[in-house]
Amino acid sequence: MSLSRRTAGPPGQGAQEAPTATIVRETTGAVRPLGALVRVLSSKAKPTEFRLRSGKCVIGSAAGCDIVVGDPTVSRQHVELTLCAEGVGVTDLGSRNGTFYFGHRVQQMILALGGRIAVGTTEIAIDADREALEDGLVYAGDSFQGMAGRSLAMRRLFATLARLEGSLVTVLVTGESGVGKELVARAIHEGSQAASGPLVIVNCGAVPRDLVASELFGHRRGAFTGALDHRKGAFESADGGTLFLDEIGELPLDVQPMLLRALESGEIRPVGGDQAKRVRVRVVAATHRNVEEEVRAGRFREDLYYRLAVVKLHVPPLRERPEDIEPLARKFAAASGIANLPIDVVERLCARSWPGNARELRNVIQAYAALGALPDDEAAKKQLLDVALGDFVDPTRPYAEQKDALCDRFARAYLQALMVQTGGNQTAAARVSGLDRSYLGKLLAKHGLLR
């Protein structure tokens, strides 16, 4: 069975109009690495926090240091921190008691933002300077790296993406299905120093659970039944580039420590192998799930979440940014060979709520290009369904698995519409649907639709 990894290809999405009071500044991108917030966690220090946005930060016990630590195990000038694309360069300044990362003494290293070091016995946190990303910048244009949008929300996102272009930090992209999270990942890749390397995409929800580790890290011949030869994993394929882990919330719990180790150490070990391999990979992850809730429920490791969410970006649903419907529709129309969308068509598109977000809008435009009319009548709706099914169907996955997934989606969509139609009255809903009321209640509970 072939798996779901693929390398970069096309797509298209995303964008809210800035109110006149908003100061708009065009961002230029790729100016400097993202700043770091340096915090002393376990000793008295002055200051306890230091924003490293340029130059260097020297930590020690002497009065002239940028951070003065009151710990007898800290040398007068102990360690120096400098910004770089991958995070922060750490250089021990000949300290007596050493600088440590995960228990290993280091002389010089590059630490990814979100990491921790020990200076003597004092723990130091080095995180992304989120304040530098959330400073009110609004992108002046209405398109960015293949995305379209004129809404305030999207132009702020574009400004943040441009600000990230000097950095290789790990990013977590959140948002509903269909909003364009993969486009954000592509924009991050294309605007970074990793753009000359490959963009490798893995849909963690589409890989069979027992093959996820092999898909990510590779395997050696004979590692398991069916492993007939050595195989590179996604990390090794993405070496020198970007690995996009889509639907990271679906990652099995037993694989999560392996991913955390790869992120922390930059080393991978193939399934069935005993030799670790060092790779240089920029990781971008995405999910439609609320990962904080998954952490609280014990389905996602907290340490892995914080390691992935060094920078967290959210793409709002299309219903919250109706200003973006027209530019997106025109972009999709142009891609389908339609030079100009009639005004009445645009107005009808803008009147819809788009629960499937930009993906649904794209499918409607493709159906319009095929039919010459918006899919309002039954025949057009069937045509639109065929287009959507064409996107959904994956011939590399088992028939029964995909059929069950499709039936689940239909059931949820039907039940949602049914409960809206009947005002949430389960007795009326059971009568309309022809279902036994107790069975209807079980279905609503299964799909999380009980109030």
Side-chain angles (χ1 to χ4, degrees):
M1 175 181 188
S2 66
L3 303 181
S4 61
R5 188 195 320 154
R6 61 193 192 280
T7 51
Q13 258 114 324
Q16 266 167 323
E17 191 86 302
T20 54
T22 302
I23 298 173
V24 178
R25 290 180 281 159
E26 184 161 5
T27 57
T28 55
V31 268
R32 65 187 187 280
L34 180 63
L37 177 63
V38 183
R39 295 179 296 129
V40 180
L41 300 180
S42 58
S43 297
K44 290 183 178 180
K46 192 172 182 180
T48 56
E49 291 186 356
F50 183 90
R51 282 195 153 78
L52 178 59
R53 294 182 174 176
S54 62
K56 61 185 180 181
C57 172
V58 175
I59 301 174
S61 59
C65 294
D66 298 296
I67 298 179
V68 179
V69 181
D71 176 355
T73 67
V74 174
S75 298
R76 291 178 58 79
Q77 290 192 327
H78 197 113
V79 69
E80 178 181 285
L81 309 178
T82 54
L83 288 179
C84 61
E86 293 91 341
V88 170
V90 178
T91 304
D92 186 89
L93 300 175
S95 66
R96 183 176 67 255
N97 293 307
T99 301
F100 295 85
Y101 177 68
F102 273 89
H104 298 286
R105 187 165 184 163
V106 296
Q107 295 299 319
Q108 196 166 33
M109 69 171 294
I110 294 176
L111 179 69
L113 295 177
R116 303 287 185 268
I117 59 172
V119 175
T121 59
T122 295
E123 187 178 8
I124 307 290
I126 303 175
D127 296 312
D129 184 3
R130 296 176 187 268
E131 187 179 280
L133 285 174
E134 300 165 359
D135 58 1
L137 277 179
V138 179
Y139 195 73
D142 58 4
S143 63
F144 184 85
Q145 295 280 16
M147 293 181 287
R150 59 170 73 125
S151 65
L152 178 59
M154 290 305 292
R155 287 161 63 199
R156 281 180 171 159
L157 177 62
F158 295 165
T160 302
L161 291 172
R163 177 66 190 85
L164 284 171
E165 288 188 346
S167 173
L168 290 171
V169 295
T170 305
V171 179
L172 177 65
V173 186
T174 63
E176 293 179 4
S177 294
V179 293
K181 298 186 290 294
E182 182 177 322
L183 283 177
V184 174
R186 291 174 183 275
I188 291 171
H189 172 72
E190 294 297 335
S192 74
Q193 296 177 21
S196 59
L199 170 61
V200 176
I201 301 172
V202 175
N203 186 329
C204 298
V207 182
R209 293 179 64 88
D210 56 342
L211 294 179
V212 174
S214 168
E215 175 70 0
L216 292 178
F217 310 113
H219 63 251
R220 291 289 171 261
R221 183 174 55 222
F224 50 85
T225 303
L228 303 178
D229 213 338
H230 296 335
R231 184 179 185 274
K232 287 201 305 186
F235 267 91
E236 192 172 353
S237 297
D239 196 9
T242 301
L243 174 59
F244 176 44
L245 299 175
D246 199 7
E247 297 302 347
I248 191 69
E250 313 298 326
L251 192 69
L253 204 54
D254 59 326
V255 180
Q256 292 178 24
M258 302 166 68
L259 176 58
L260 178 63
R261 184 182 183 282
L263 293 172
E264 294 286 8
S265 66
E267 291 184 346
I268 58 167
R269 193 186 306 276
V271 177
D274 50 14
Q275 290 291 324
K277 178 180 176 62
R278 179 163 288 276
V279 291
R280 190 167 180 263
V281 174
R282 199 263 185 87
V283 173
V284 179
T287 181
H288 71 281
R289 292 184 179 275
N290 184 324
V291 190
E292 290 94 336
E293 286 186 3
E294 296 295 298
V295 169
R296 286 192 290 271
R299 292 187 292 266
F300 204 89
R301 289 178 62 112
E302 184 177 30
D303 48 4
L304 177 58
Y305 167 65
Y306 286 117
R307 188 64 189 80
L308 289 168
V310 174
V311 170
K312 188 175 176 181
L313 302 177
H314 180 68
V315 186
L318 194 53
R319 63 182 173 275
E320 294 180 6
R321 43 190 178 95
E323 309 96 309
D324 293 343
I325 294 173
E326 181 177 353
L328 283 171
R330 295 194 183 280
K331 177 181 176 64
F332 296 144
S336 298
I338 303 172
N340 288 299
L341 275 179
I343 288 296
D344 65 313
V345 172
V346 172
E347 289 174 348
R348 288 165 65 191
L349 292 172
C350 290
R352 299 190 182 187
S353 60
W354 302 111
N357 295 297
R359 181 186 295 130
E360 182 186 0
L361 175 58
R362 182 196 66 198
N363 291 342
V364 166
I365 294 297
Q366 289 175 348
Y368 174 79
L371 299 169
L374 286 180
D376 290 327
D377 58 41
E378 205 57 39
K381 285 181 180 178
K382 288 178 181 177
Q383 177 77 25
L384 176 58
L385 180 60
D386 288 341
V387 173
L389 283 172
D391 277 350
F392 181 84
V393 168
D394 180 356
T396 67
R397 293 169 56 199
Y399 166 82
E401 175 186 310
Q402 289 190 79
K403 178 187 172 187
D404 290 345
L406 186 60
C407 288
D408 275 349
R409 290 195 175 198
F410 164 76
R412 181 177 175 80
Y414 176 81
L415 292 169
Q416 280 181 316
L418 176 68
M419 298 312 291
V420 169
Q421 177 71 24
T422 58
N425 185 317
Q426 289 190 36
T427 300
R431 185 169 57 250
V432 170
S433 64
L435 297 172
D436 179 78
R437 192 184 185 288
S438 61
Y439 179 62
L440 173 65
K442 291 177 182 178
L443 283 178
L444 292 171
K446 173 185 174 181
H447 292 281
L449 298 175
L450 284 177
R451 290 184 177 178

